[in-house]
């Protein structure tokens, strides 16, 4: 990574961060990833999503960090927990996990002013075969999207890599939600679409920070938001999965800020 980055914005309004800023993002991302590592032991049949969220809240506080989601637009929890056909923004509560349930847990923390945002999939009990296929395709689609990150490529290249892979497995990419820029703010330009055409969109430059977080459905891509104004579900009630990393663009690729310190990013670890 070169050391001559300048704090500025592109014509698309995308912030270019300094080389020194990568350290702050690594620190925030590492905490978010460690929390998701540690919460794995709290995902089991009979557990409630509210109890999982309470433990995450305690972990954030114990680390001396701040939850980015508590108080965000009135949200009251340190995580979003999305079970089975919930695509994203599932609200923790009294729901009890059943054998074979799959769930995405999404955590964002603030450390020294920097935002670390990541999510990954978990399973309660035995992982059903069709859910395993969905999770694997979603995971691999994220990693293919990250492989497309390098200066000179475009955001359309990222989206195309994800969409092409997912649809080759006869699954669908959710289009109603996308990744986003972040850094010293939670959400900023660009919108990182998980579908697209090669060469389309803004050009990637060293020093851009953003999330890639594809949501993939076993059925159709359409979603609807429930009356709580947060919970998004698949319209056809098919299973949905999501993985998310926060990354920075380097001189020759992507620097992943939210790598799992324990190698637990995929639910079949160990």
């Amino acid at each position: 990574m070169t050391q001559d980055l300048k704090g500025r914005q592109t014509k698309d309004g995308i912030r270019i961060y300094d080389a020194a800023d990568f350290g702050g993002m690594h620190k925030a991302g590492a905490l978010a990833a460690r929390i998701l590592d540690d919460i794995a032991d709290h995902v089991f049949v009979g557990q409630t999503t509210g109890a999982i969220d309470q433990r995450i809240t305690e972990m954030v506080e114990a680390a001396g960090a701040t939850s980015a989601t508590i108080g965000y637009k009135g949200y009251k929890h340190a995580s979003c927990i999305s079970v089975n056909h919930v695509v994203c923004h599932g609200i923790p509560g009294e729901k009890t996990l059943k054998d074979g349930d799959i769930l995405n847990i999404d955590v964002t923390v603030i450390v020294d002013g920097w935002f670390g945002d990541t999510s990954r999939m978990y399973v309660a009990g035995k992982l059903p075969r069709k859910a395993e296929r969905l999770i694997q395709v979603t995971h691999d689609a994220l990693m293919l999207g990250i492989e497309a990150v390098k200066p000179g490529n475009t955001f359309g290249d990222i989206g195309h890599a994800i969409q092409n892979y997912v649809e080759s497995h006869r699954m669908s990419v959710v289009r109603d939600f996308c990744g986003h820029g972040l850094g010293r703010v939670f959400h900023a330009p660009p919108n990182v679409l998980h579908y697209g055409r090669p060469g389309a969109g803004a050009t990637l430059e060293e020093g851009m920070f953003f999330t890639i977080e594809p949501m993939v459905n076993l059925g159709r891509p359409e979603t609807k938001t429930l009356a709580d104004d947060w919970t998004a579900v698949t319209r056809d009630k098919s299973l949905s999965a999501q993985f998310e990393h926060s990354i920075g663009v380097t001189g020759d690729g992507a620097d992943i800020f939210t790598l799992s310190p324990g190698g637990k990013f995929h639910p079949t670890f160990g």
Side-chain angles (χ1 to χ4, degrees), residues 113-160:
W114 295 99
F115 286 71
D117 186 3
T118 185
S119 79
R120 65 182 79 155
M121 296 300 296
Y122 300 81
V123 60
K126 181 176 174 57
L127 181 61
R129 176 58 185 149
K130 66 178 182 178
E132 183 177 13
R133 284 187 59 248
L134 171 67
I135 288 170
Q136 190 65 53
V137 168
T138 308
H139 173 273
D140 293 347
L142 168 63
M143 301 315 294
L144 286 168
I146 292 174
E147 285 181 15
V149 174
K150 62 180 178 181
N153 277 3
T154 69
F155 284 97
D157 294 328
I158 298 172
H160 176 74

Side-chain angles (χ1 to χ4, degrees), residues 8-263:
R8 60 179 178 84
Q9 285 190 349
T10 70
K11 62 182 177 61
D12 300 292
I14 303 170
R15 172 75 182 271
I16 304 297
Y17 285 91
D18 295 335
D21 295 335
F22 280 71
M25 288 298 289
H26 268 291
K27 189 173 180 181
L31 175 59
R34 179 168 60 81
I35 288 171
L36 290 189
D37 274 15
D38 292 347
I39 204 63
D41 290 340
H42 297 267
V43 177
F44 51 82
V45 175
Q47 177 69 295
T48 67
T49 56
I52 294 171
D53 180 73
Q54 179 59 37
R55 183 64 188 125
I56 291 171
T57 302
E58 294 166 358
M59 291 177 181
V60 174
E61 293 174 350
T66 302
S67 167
T69 54
I70 295 177
Y72 179 77
K73 296 184 177 180
Y75 196 73
K76 299 179 180 180
H77 304 277
S79 64
C80 294
I81 302 179
S82 303
V83 183
N84 292 334
H85 71 292
V86 178
V87 175
C88 60
H89 304 157
I91 301 175
E94 297 305 311
K95 180 176 178 58
T96 299
L97 296 177
K98 302 180 182 64
D99 186 42
D101 280 349
I102 61 170
L103 55 154
N104 176 273
I105 302 180
D106 190 339
V107 169
T108 307
V109 297
I110 310 171
V111 179
D112 298 332
W114 295 99
F115 286 71
D117 186 3
T118 185
S119 79
R120 65 182 79 155
M121 296 300 296
Y122 300 81
V123 60
K126 181 176 174 57
L127 181 61
R129 176 58 185 149
K130 66 178 182 178
E132 183 177 13
R133 284 187 59 248
L134 171 67
I135 288 170
Q136 190 65 53
V137 168
T138 308
H139 173 273
D140 293 347
L142 168 63
M143 301 315 294
L144 286 168
I146 292 174
E147 285 181 15
V149 174
K150 62 180 178 181
N153 277 3
T154 69
F155 284 97
D157 294 328
I158 298 172
H160 176 74
I162 293 169
Q163 179 185 8
N164 186 60
Y165 182 76
V166 169
E167 292 180 353
S168 75
H169 288 270
R170 299 186 178 182
M171 301 178 192
S172 63
V173 176
V174 171
R175 299 188 177 215
D176 296 334
F177 302 95
C178 61
H180 54 89
L182 81 171
R184 286 195 173 276
V185 293
F186 195 173
H187 296 100
N191 288 333
V192 183
L193 306 181
H194 304 115
Y195 59 93
R197 295 180 292 105
T203 300
L204 299 168
E205 296 184 37
E206 185 177 1
M208 289 179 173
F209 295 166
F210 51 86
T211 69
I212 304 177
E213 46 184 295
M215 287 146 273
V216 176
N217 298 345
L218 269 180
R220 294 185 55 81
E222 293 85 7
T223 71
K224 65 178 180 180
T225 300
L226 301 185
D228 60 27
D229 289 329
W230 284 104
T231 308
V233 300
T234 55
R235 281 193 174 271
D236 61 7
K237 297 185 179 180
S238 62
L239 287 177
S240 187
Q242 180 187 19
F243 285 89
E244 175 184 15
H245 271 316
S246 295
I247 68 165
V249 183
T250 69
D252 59 1
D255 187 2
I256 302 175
F257 301 131
T258 47
L259 287 172
S260 165

